[in-house]
């Protein structure tokens, strides 16, 4: 699953969106994993990122693969 993370200049996460909204509405297991990933991102805020490179990291595409957690 892919998340879009929008961050302000101070590293605060202002929005976390799941790219596959359709699957989120029809697949309860996917929705559960997506919400857990979303909560994890929000819990990590504020992100410690270099302020001088804000234009590079203000929008982050994060690919999350829960199957990698078991290996």
């Amino acid at each position: 699953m892919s998340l879009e993370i929008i961050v302000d200049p101070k590293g605060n996460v202002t929005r976390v969106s799941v790219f596959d909204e359709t699957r989120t509405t029809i697949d309860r297991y996917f929705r559960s994993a997506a919400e857990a990933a979303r909560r994890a991102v929000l819990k990590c805020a504020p992100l410690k990122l270099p302020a001088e490179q804000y234009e590079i990291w203000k929008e982050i595409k994060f690919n999350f693969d829960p199957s990698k957690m078991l290996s």
Side-chain angles (χ1 to χ4, degrees):
M1 117 187 35
S2 294
L3 302 175
E4 178 185 39
I5 305 166
I6 307 299
V7 185
D8 74 10
K10 293 184 178 182
N12 297 304
V13 176
T14 60
R15 187 176 74 214
V16 181
S17 303
V18 179
F19 276 105
D20 194 347
E21 287 294 326
T22 303
R23 188 169 175 196
T24 302
T25 60
I26 61 174
D27 183 340
R28 67 182 179 156
Y29 298 109
F30 183 85
R31 180 173 50 251
S32 179
E35 282 303 312
R38 185 178 177 282
R39 284 191 305 271
V41 169
L42 292 171
K43 190 174 184 178
C44 291
L47 304 177
K48 299 196 183 341
L49 299 165
E52 66 277 0
Q53 296 178 349
Y54 176 66
E55 287 301 314
I56 295 171
W57 54 258
K58 66 182 178 180
E59 295 179 16
I60 302 167
K61 181 179 179 185
F62 183 81
N63 295 314
F64 179 76
D65 184 355
S67 69
K68 302 294 182 190
M69 295 172 55
L70 301 174
S71 56

